[in-house]
Amino acid sequence: MVATSPPAPPDWDYAPAPESADVVSIAPQYGLFIGGEFVPSADGGSFATLNPATEEPLAQVAQAGPQDVDRAVAAARRAYDGPWGATPGRDRAKYLYRIARVIQERAREFAVLESLDNGKPIRESRDVDVPLAAAHFFYYAGWADKLQHAGFGPGPRPVGVAGQVIPWNFPLLMAAWKLAPALAAGNTCVLKPAETTPLTALLLAEVIAEAGLPPGTVNVLTGDGATGAALVAQPGVDKIAFTGSTEVGKEIARTVAGTGKKLTLELGGKAANVVFDDAPLDQAVEGIVNGIFFNQGHVCCAGSRLLVQESVADTVLDRLKRRLGTLRLGDPLDKNTDIGAINSRQQLDKITELSAAGEQEGAERWSPACALPDRGYWFPPTVFSGVSQAHRIAREEIFGPVLSVLTFRTPEEAVAKANNTPYGLSAGIWTEKGSRIFWMAQHLRAGVIWANTYNRFDPASPFGGYQESGFGREGGRHGLAGYLDA
Ligand code: NDP
């Protein structure tokens, strides 16, 4: 018999599977949503929102100034003192159900618009952001007529007008996290979406109008940081809810101090994802990938610090690298894409700068071979090994697809390293021992702890942090507390 070499493996590749952008119609110009209608800003100012995957402008969006903030807060106050304040919980529930149903009906449109404006893969906007946003409205619809049973005393009252400032990483979902509990509790809202991702909040405003909520119950002010700051400082606002950077959160806390405004802050994180040597390693590798590469790592609770037990560190790193080699980076609208675009030039610069600092400080940098598109904002999945606790990439929130790998020998060392951060938002534990999970969960200082999984979200489950990750909880019964004067 003649020995022959095995045939070369077929060069399998995925055929392109793009979701059609035709399901959304994007207007060339958007106004502010105040008092139930879309209106231009008082000074006529506007700015462009871009598709970060192509750098092409998608639309011009009105820039709200202080006069617009006053108008929106006045509209919210009229709705609160008027029709929305007089709407009983059982009817508020119906409105919330209606919003949830319309989001479901228009899910494809929301998902495509989110991917276009944010750069996240359609797989994620379609399967995570949009269904979870609808689920939040459904969940809080259930609470609207049961507030007296929520554990906040017999007659909890709404706070009044809520000013809500949200970031760009989960634009629609963060709007749902803010609006659903506020409306269920009987408040009216003025929402400020992030400058780079205003479009799904504006589509949500359209849905809210379609659902028939009284004018002024929800107002949406597009704009930049100055718009957010004006909303926070507006004296007619009774409660501020903010999600974003720790730096801006601190500034907001200083503005609000002494005003009597209620405040909840959901800020940054630098979570440890801790893998013990008895963990199911293939599952853990999937959890590590989901923990830091989901949404390009633009996740406040991302597992950005991998703490792996020394005895399995080489194995985990090998398997992780092999797995990262299979991730597909590119067109966010392609259903096979795992890693989409970075949301903005500014964020790309920040990720680039911090990654360069990682190399300069002596950590070993690795990325799989992957071609980056010529246009748009892109960063390859990146792993740093040999990271020490003093390195900037182990301490600072990178908010991008960059993983810092550290090792430990004992559970005590894992806890000490995991807790060695000014943040305290989330953590992950991978081990087969239930007792170890409980021991670790008792010792880790983090608001959310996942065991043998990562990045699981449910509207019934409270989410929030300690220390520089902020205070207050969103989601679950706890999420109502910030919107009730109990
Ligand atoms: P910011 O905290 O600046 O933005 C969050 C929201 O606050 C946006 O709507 C922003 O408006 C608004 N805002 C900005 N300045 C003020 C202000 N002074 N008063 C009131 N509102 C304000 O986050 P960035 O988008 O600038 O991101 C910077 C870093 O923050 C990221 O690299 C990441 O590390 C972290 N981050 C953390 C998030 C989290 O979920 N924990 C979410 C987003 C960012 P505008 O968009 O117009 O600037």
Side-chain angles (χ1 to χ4, degrees), residues 138-470:
F138 277 127
Y139 175 77
Y140 280 108
W143 272 118
D145 63 347
K146 302 175 194 70
L147 298 176
Q148 68 275 28
H149 307 298
F152 304 113
R157 302 265 319 129
V159 178
V161 175
Q164 306 175 312
V165 181
I166 55 172
W168 44 263
N169 53 344
F170 293 94
L172 176 69
L173 185 57
M174 288 302 106
W177 277 30
K178 297 280 180 281
L179 295 175
L183 296 173
N187 303 272
T188 57
C189 305
V190 180
L191 178 79
K192 208 298 273 177
E195 189 179 346
T196 55
T197 54
L199 295 185
T200 46
L202 291 167
L203 183 57
L204 184 61
E206 205 181 299
V207 166
I208 284 167
E210 192 182 325
L213 274 79
T217 304
V218 173
N219 306 273
V220 177
L221 292 179
T222 47
D224 58 9
T227 311
L231 178 60
V232 169
Q234 221 285 348
V237 173
D238 302 300
K239 189 239 150 69
I240 296 293
F242 172 77
T243 299
S245 61
T246 296
E247 192 190 343
V248 173
K250 285 181 180 174
E251 197 182 318
I252 290 176
R254 282 192 290 272
T255 307
V256 164
T259 62
K261 288 179 191 173
K262 233 174 140 91
L263 178 65
T264 43
L265 296 174
E266 201 268 274
L267 310 176
K270 191 74 192 173
N273 202 359
V274 186
V275 178
F276 286 95
D277 58 5
D278 63 345
L281 293 187
D282 287 325
Q283 230 173 296
V285 165
E286 289 306 310
I288 295 163
V289 171
N290 176 30
I292 184 64
F293 300 111
F294 169 61
N295 202 30
Q296 294 73 246
H298 302 327
V299 185
C300 49
C301 53
S304 51
R305 285 184 300 152
L306 171 64
L307 298 186
V308 57
Q309 198 152 18
E310 207 172 87
S311 48
V312 290
D314 289 342
T315 313
V316 168
L317 212 55
D318 283 349
R319 292 192 198 180
L320 179 64
K321 288 179 176 175
R322 209 162 55 215
R323 178 70 177 89
L324 293 183
T326 68
L327 293 184
R328 296 168 58 83
L329 177 147
D331 180 7
L333 285 191
D334 191 314
K335 292 170 205 157
N336 293 321
T337 292
D338 299 302
I339 311 262
I342 301 302
N343 180 247
S344 63
R345 159 75 55 199
Q346 192 191 14
Q347 190 60 27
L348 179 59
D349 290 347
K350 180 179 171 190
I351 299 168
T352 306
E353 191 266 316
L354 270 165
S355 299
E359 268 180 295
Q360 278 154 19
E361 291 183 328
E364 190 180 320
R365 180 176 183 163
W366 180 89
S367 288
C370 93
L372 302 184
D374 299 333
R375 298 204 58 196
Y377 313 130
W378 305 95
F379 200 87
T382 299
V383 176
F384 279 101
S385 49
V387 177
S388 94
Q389 294 187 81
H391 289 164
R392 282 181 68 200
I393 53 168
R395 291 183 288 116
E396 295 181 31
E397 186 179 42
I398 301 174
F399 225 63
V402 181
L403 178 68
S404 300
V405 183
L406 297 94
T407 58
F408 66 90
R409 289 184 180 169
T410 63
E412 289 76 12
E413 189 186 350
V415 166
K417 285 186 167 166
N419 288 343
N420 185 11
T421 168
Y423 296 109
L425 190 54
S426 57
I429 308 164
W430 295 85
T431 170
E432 116 185 318
K433 293 188 185 63
S435 57
R436 181 173 278 166
I437 290 171
F438 286 119
W439 185 86
M440 287 291 291
Q442 274 168 357
H443 290 83
L444 289 172
R445 287 202 310 269
V448 181
I449 297 176
W450 288 287
N452 293 327
T453 186
Y454 206 92
N455 273 341
R456 292 270 165 194
F457 304 99
D458 188 285
S461 177
F463 183 92
Y466 290 110
Q467 308 188 108
E468 299 220 339
S469 292

